[in-house]
Amino acid sequence: MTAGLAPGLASVLDLASVLVALDFDGTLAPITPHPEDARPLAGVHQVLRDVRATGAALAVVTGRSVSSLLRVSGFGAIPGIVIYGTHGAERWQAGSLRTAAAPPGLGELRERLPGLVAGIVRDRDVWVEDKSLSLVVHARLTAQPERVLDRLREPVEEAAAAAGLGVRPGREVLEICLPGIDKGTAVRELLGEDRAAVLYAGDDVGDLDAMAEVNAWAERVGRPGLTVAVGAAGGPVAGVADVTVPDPEGLLDLLRRLLGVAWPAWPSGLGSWR
Ligand SMILES: [Mg+2]
């Protein structure tokens, strides 16, 4: 039993583990103009290994495909890590990949989308990324990303709906994705009912689903759920999380400080950050 914790929580600690689930781009890695150039901040690998060494379950929940995440992050070398890719449509652990089924319309839209986009916005800096289970229209390299996306939003949404797909907004992107799967469904699967506590950190609108799931779980089971927004005031997740840190460096500092709270006192450490 652990001194200083409520009896209910202390008994939970004997049965269950803390979950630490983290977004990647903008959370563990600075945002780069091109996704392939992103790399984890120096020190991230060691902190993730230290998180695992406490006995916590560790997951990265990213909008990237699993293969892209593994390529740019090197996280495949971290023992026990679970990776949810393409906003939860893929799950990877220890070399084994599970993939959601795509609707038949995805293949046709893959062929059609670049022409559709080019017919609306004549800008070479708008490009379509094929993530296999999703298609992403990128406007980050243009002079006015939001204006470009405003013009594209309705026609892209119509084309996606006709193909049985949804559209998810992101940071200077529109992402065509599988309906009914998001970072919230990934976090729900990771949490189950027997976790002692959870920490989730992210920086973008896609992370809001995960944070909502953490809050719903914490409310339902009465255990600590801590959400961390990464980014300056005015960003996509500002004001919705329990804690806000300015950048990936700030998140690393927070994780290091939480790691200073010896397991199994982690959950109470999380609670003290609220
Ligand atoms: Mg992100």
Side-chain angles (χ1 to χ4, degrees):
M1 269 322 123
T2 310
L5 293 179
L9 183 54
S11 64
V12 161
L13 296 180
D14 295 335
L15 303 171
S17 68
V18 174
L19 169 67
V20 176
L22 308 164
D23 169 51
F24 180 70
D25 291 275
T27 298
L28 294 174
I31 297 285
T32 53
H34 199 283
E36 284 301 307
D37 296 332
R39 294 292 179 273
L41 207 62
V44 160
H45 276 248
Q46 188 57 52
V47 166
L48 297 186
R49 286 175 185 275
D50 291 346
V51 166
R52 281 289 299 141
T54 67
L58 172 67
V60 170
V61 184
T62 176
R64 285 176 183 268
S65 66
V66 162
S67 62
S68 165
L69 190 278
L70 289 173
R71 192 164 57 240
V72 301
S73 72
F75 288 171
I78 296 172
I81 193 170
V82 178
I83 297 167
Y84 278 79
T86 320
H87 297 273
E90 301 173 294
R91 182 187 189 279
W92 180 97
Q93 185 171 20
S96 153
L97 181 68
R98 184 193 74 196
T99 305
L106 178 60
E108 192 191 325
L109 190 56
R110 170 174 288 121
E111 302 298 319
R112 230 187 107 211
L113 188 63
L116 175 75
V117 168
I120 298 163
V121 179
R122 293 185 188 281
D123 187 329
R124 287 181 168 196
D125 290 331
V126 179
W127 61 285
V128 177
E129 180 187 10
D130 185 348
K131 297 201 309 191
S132 180
L133 289 176
S134 80
L135 303 166
V136 190
V137 181
H138 287 262
R140 190 167 294 157
L141 300 175
T142 66
Q144 294 181 301
E146 287 314 314
R147 273 181 77 167
V148 167
L149 293 180
D150 282 347
R151 291 177 62 195
L152 289 171
R153 191 163 287 115
E154 204 174 300
V156 167
E157 282 176 355
E158 278 175 16
L165 296 154
V167 173
R168 171 185 294 121
R171 200 183 267 196
E172 298 167 347
V173 300
L174 284 177
E175 178 155 12
I176 295 169
C177 55
L178 305 189
I181 297 176
D182 56 40
K183 290 190 175 187
T185 59
V187 164
R188 193 180 314 154
E189 187 171 84
L190 283 162
L191 276 169
E193 295 295 335
D194 66 346
R195 297 288 180 195
V198 54
L199 178 151
Y200 184 90
D203 74 308
D204 206 348
V205 282
D207 298 302
L208 298 176
D209 296 317
M211 292 183 188
E213 195 61 37
V214 166
N215 292 335
W217 174 87
E219 178 88 4
R220 192 170 66 246
V221 303
R223 294 175 212 151
L226 187 77
T227 53
V228 183
V230 184
V237 293
V240 299
D242 299 311
V243 179
T244 299
V245 294
D247 48 27
E249 193 72 66
L251 176 65
L252 269 196
D253 285 346
L254 173 66
L255 290 171
R256 286 190 182 111
R257 289 165 79 173
L258 285 169
L259 285 163
V261 182
W263 172 255
W266 253 71
S268 59
L270 299 190
S272 71
W273 280 89
R274 276 182 174 276

